[in-house]
Amino acid sequence: DVQLVESGGGLVQPGGSLRLSCKVSGYADSSYCMGWFRQAPGKQREGVAALYTGGGSTYYADSVKGRFTISQDNAKNTVYLVMSNLKPEDTAMYYCAARPARKMGWVFDPSTYNYWGQGTQVTVS
């Protein structure tokens, strides 16, 4: 079974930084699309960053561009989200998700992802 396990969330002051990790196990394909999403109370889940593990293409939501960086460590089967210059509006539960690389659809459409982690809370205050 495919499992995604996030870690690295916490409480940080505005302007601070955090690094989220998503450990992937059980994925048969060597190439897939990994997305980071977030959901604040009362709001819809939104995509913030995505990466194709095969080619390395990355995508960012306008709200985080220039502040967040998505990257991968193939040896550790882990995808990271480094968040800098954090703002109170970044407060949310953050989830990583995976889907086959060949699957069509907007990378920030959560309905296109097959596998999800349990989430990690990020609070900026």
Side-chain angles (χ1 to χ4, degrees):
D1 292 348
V2 176
Q3 286 192 325
L4 308 179
V5 180
E6 302 102 333
S7 61
L11 173 64
V12 63
Q13 293 183 341
S17 300
L18 280 175
R19 187 182 77 164
L20 305 184
S21 301
C22 179
K23 173 77 171 177
V24 182
S25 61
Y27 210 105
D29 293 335
S30 60
S31 179
Y32 49 90
C33 177
M34 179 67 75
W36 280 99
F37 293 79
R38 66 186 182 187
Q39 189 166 19
K43 294 188 176 181
Q44 289 189 331
R45 190 167 297 191
E46 64 169 345
V48 296
L51 173 147
Y52 280 87
T53 62
S57 298
T58 57
Y59 305 84
Y60 296 95
D62 288 343
S63 59
V64 306
K65 203 170 291 183
R67 300 189 299 121
F68 290 12
T69 302
I70 188 171
S71 63
Q72 60 180 324
D73 184 332
N74 292 333
K76 296 181 179 180
N77 291 328
T78 300
V79 175
Y80 302 99
L81 183 69
V82 175
M83 307 182 294
S84 303
N85 191 20
L86 283 162
K87 304 175 182 180
E89 51 263 43
D90 294 318
T91 295
M93 186 71 79
Y94 282 72
Y95 301 88
C96 61
R99 73 182 196 191
R102 63 187 179 278
K103 192 169 187 178
M104 302 299 290
W106 186 42
V107 292
F108 292 148
D109 180 355
S111 70
T112 66
Y113 284 78
N114 301 75
Y115 307 102
W116 289 84
Q118 81 287 354
T120 185
Q121 178 68 38
V122 172
T123 302
V124 185
S125 177

